[in-house]
Amino acid sequence: MTVRLYLASTSPARLSLLRAAGIEPVLLAPGVDEDEAVAVEEGRLGRRLDAVETVALLARAKAEAVLGATVDGRPLDGFVLGGDSAFEIEGDVLGKPHEPATAFERWQQMIRVGSGVLHSGHHLIDHRGGRPGQGVTATASADLTFAPDITDAEIEAYVATGEPLKVAGAFTIDGLAAAFITEIVGTPSAVVGLSIPLLRRLLREHFDVEWHELWTTGHGLT
């Protein structure tokens, strides 16, 4: 019997990753105000969160935000996964730029510095049987190197597509920015927003669930 995965995210990239890995998740929009969640936690701690802390916090907030949801009138029965990503460069933690001018400035910084680290947070909650149980948080990071000869014209053209405005760091390796990234050290899927190998490890080590138990039909699987 297939174990169901509920994805507390509206990210097309995370959905695409899971589908390519043989899993058709149930999508749930978490509706978390990310800036507010970070501000509240920083106020509680009395300091700024680093990149790893930020993505871990938001991944957990998103997973926990959907625990009261129902699907077709029934409570969730499976695993709930929340995810978040941020790009770190020169000590700055960069989320979604939202505005074209911000995206352009970030790309200029990335080209000048030449590299950065993409962090992806994961929070997995056991919700089998219709009730929330144990939750576990983990992060994955990957180092990226950018082509040194990217021109302002290329940046302007890329920003004009709108693709970088709603993604961490203002780039996607599975989209139009793929030509601008020359090297990745780490798990490639973590750069897209979800480490597939890490998710497999969390399921096995913490919940005794094998990866193939989440595979669904419709992907050449039986």
Side-chain angles (χ1 to χ4, degrees):
M1 182 177 179
T2 301
V3 178
R4 180 166 289 183
L5 180 69
Y6 300 89
L7 179 61
S9 172
T10 57
S11 165
R14 293 190 183 101
L15 173 60
S16 179
L17 278 173
L18 288 168
R19 282 177 169 170
I23 298 170
E24 184 67 37
V26 178
L27 302 183
L28 300 171
V32 171
D33 186 324
E34 298 180 13
D35 292 337
E36 180 181 0
V38 171
V40 169
E41 184 65 7
E42 289 182 338
R44 186 183 72 83
L45 295 175
R47 62 173 177 82
R48 295 195 57 148
L49 297 179
D50 64 25
V52 172
E53 291 173 323
T54 298
V55 296
L57 169 74
L58 294 178
R60 180 170 183 170
K62 292 174 184 179
E64 293 180 343
V66 305
L67 292 184
T70 59
V71 176
D72 297 328
R74 297 180 180 180
L76 309 185
D77 186 4
F79 285 89
V80 177
L81 176 65
D84 189 75
S85 299
F87 187 64
E88 183 177 10
I89 185 169
E90 294 187 309
D92 296 330
V93 182
L94 307 181
K96 304 175 183 68
H98 299 297
E99 298 296 331
T102 303
F104 185 84
E105 291 173 1
R106 290 184 181 179
W107 266 96
Q108 288 186 313
Q109 179 186 12
M110 290 188 292
I111 296 167
R112 174 176 55 80
V113 176
S115 63
V117 184
L118 196 291
H119 303 279
S120 285
H122 312 68
H123 189 74
L124 187 65
I125 299 174
D126 185 355
H127 210 291
R128 288 173 293 180
R131 302 177 67 177
Q134 177 188 355
V136 59
T137 304
T139 60
S141 301
D143 299 316
L144 286 84
T145 301
F146 298 94
D149 60 347
I150 303 172
T151 65
D152 283 354
E154 287 178 305
I155 300 174
E156 289 174 352
Y158 180 50
V159 171
T161 68
E163 182 182 270
L165 302 185
K166 296 183 180 180
V167 291
F171 65 86
T172 60
I173 66 163
D174 56 335
L176 297 176
F180 305 139
I181 299 168
T182 61
E183 185 177 5
I184 298 172
V185 179
T187 306
S189 61
V191 184
V192 181
L194 169 63
S195 172
I196 296 296
L198 176 58
L199 177 58
R200 172 182 173 271
R201 180 169 62 81
L202 294 178
L203 287 162
R204 169 178 279 186
E205 293 183 0
H206 294 272
F207 304 104
D208 197 28
V209 172
E210 295 295 329
W211 181 244
H212 62 267
E213 295 181 57
L214 275 72
W215 285 349
T216 51
T217 58
H219 302 276
L221 303 169
T222 56

